Amino acid sequence: RHFDYYLALAQRTSPALWTVGRVPTELDDEAANMQVALGWALQSCPWDGLRLASPLADYADFRGQARSGLTWLQKMLGAAGPMSSSPPEMPFDEARLARAKALISAAALATQVGEIKDSEEYAAEGLAMFQRMGDKRRLAWALNVSSFPALYDGRHQRAWDFLERSLAVYREINDTTGIMQITATLGAAATLLGDYTSAAVLLEEGLALSRKANNLVAAARAMNNLGYALVKLGNVARARVLARESLAVRNDIDDPRGIIESLELLAVLAGQSGGHPRCARMLGAAHALREHHTVAATLAYSRTLVAESANAAVDALGRHRYDTYFDEGTALSLKQAVQLGLEEARRLPHAA
């Protein structure tokens, strides 16, 4: 069966998205065929479809297609129904695992597109299922994802608590990839709590672990989050170096969501150096790309800094001139937006 082939392919290749932070060529090459396989499963065997939709949700995350990945998961979860409707030919444990993984995958993508309430509901059900299963690695994953809604809407302590529990489990089972991911995310949570010194320490550790693993996605994300913490600590020069590197890496690996995040950090840094027209253009470019890729949510503290930079630019330029520069940014293609960001990165001075 073609479906079995694509399921095996997705399950074999998708772990590389997190362990090494790269999209396997096979996933890109077979993306269209996997969409066909999902469509067939939706009509014929949605419980099996859940098993394919979850790894493809990771692919959608990396390729800036969060809305598409979430829609498939929602359709498949709806068609499959609750556990009581699982097919008799599928073992109960296999069906339960398929549903739990789909719920946590849906929670992660729902946060990205700004559907915070749905994300929390998916995460709560999936987390409860993994707790009952006793699957520690996936329990740690579910605890991590359960922090996402709180990270993105500013419920700082709730996010911290989930992440500490997740890190404890990853340390217990010595999962180096999980430890790497959660250490950096705890740094982001510390920034939300206003503890910028602890945030910088955690993010530096997460960045070092990411570099050691040669995980470019994790490294670029840690760089960007560390950049915001360093802005708060007054170390703008180092933040500029990290912003420059994070954008270059994300462009090289074709990470649209990451490119948006790097452009916003560069916009903040441009505004701090008095480059308000450049700040407005990059904010316009990031805004248009967010809409195009349906990436609605950003971390609460980065949203605050971006909003402060936009307000400062409006005050310096006046509303009409700000809107003109912002609109120029919205008209840029992804390639042009990246070029704008790289030019800004070259313009910014190096750290001492």
Side-chain angles (χ1 to χ4, degrees), residues 57-310:
D58 292 338
Y59 174 76
D61 182 358
F62 272 69
R63 283 293 179 240
Q65 300 164 5
R67 170 57 67 189
S68 173
L70 177 60
T71 298
W72 275 114
L73 283 165
Q74 290 171 328
K75 286 180 177 179
M76 213 68 75
L77 283 164
M83 283 301 303
S84 58
S85 63
S86 61
E89 64 272 15
M90 179 178 280
F92 176 81
D93 287 347
E94 188 176 311
R96 183 171 61 168
L97 178 60
R99 180 171 176 80
K101 289 173 65 177
L103 286 164
I104 297 301
S105 295
L109 294 184
T111 300
Q112 280 196 43
V113 302
E115 296 177 2
I116 303 302
K117 183 174 182 295
D118 287 345
S119 176
E120 288 199 294
E121 290 176 357
Y122 293 138
E125 183 182 349
L127 175 59
M129 294 177 76
F130 281 127
Q131 286 172 325
R132 290 192 293 271
M133 289 182 218
D135 183 331
K136 290 186 176 180
R137 181 169 282 102
R138 292 190 175 103
L139 172 61
W141 170 49
L143 286 165
N144 176 27
V145 173
S146 295
S147 77
F148 291 1
L151 278 172
Y152 284 100
D153 68 8
R155 286 169 292 157
H156 315 152
Q157 192 60 53
R158 180 177 174 82
W160 182 269
D161 291 344
F162 276 123
L163 289 166
E164 277 200 317
R165 290 166 61 194
S166 176
L167 182 60
V169 177
Y170 276 131
R171 290 196 189 282
E172 179 186 346
I173 62 177
N174 195 30
D175 185 314
T176 55
T177 299
I179 292 169
M180 171 189 73
Q181 298 280 358
I182 301 303
T183 299
T185 311
L186 268 171
T191 308
L192 283 169
L193 289 165
D195 187 352
Y196 304 116
T197 300
S198 294
V201 170
L202 286 163
L203 287 162
E204 291 280 17
E205 182 184 351
L207 177 56
L209 290 169
S210 302
R211 291 192 193 280
K212 183 178 179 180
N214 197 28
N215 187 314
L216 297 179
V217 168
R221 190 167 297 167
M223 288 176 214
N224 223 67
N225 288 335
L226 178 56
Y228 280 110
L230 292 173
V231 167
K232 286 291 192 179
L233 289 171
N235 191 349
V236 175
R238 176 94 197 286
R240 288 167 176 164
V241 171
L242 292 169
R244 208 170 12 239
E245 186 178 355
S246 71
L247 179 60
V249 168
R250 286 160 153 177
N251 184 46
D252 286 345
I253 62 176
D254 189 20
D255 176 8
R257 178 163 64 105
I259 288 169
I260 294 165
E261 293 171 353
S262 294
L263 286 172
E264 288 175 337
L265 176 57
L266 283 163
V268 169
L269 293 168
Q272 293 215 344
S273 69
H276 298 297
R278 306 193 307 274
C279 171
R281 283 194 194 95
M282 281 186 287
L283 290 180
H287 173 79
L289 290 171
R290 280 195 179 280
E291 290 199 333
H292 177 73
H293 291 283
T294 326
V295 179
T298 57
L299 291 169
Y301 67 82
S302 58
R303 274 205 311 274
T304 299
L305 280 174
V306 167
E308 289 173 355
S309 299

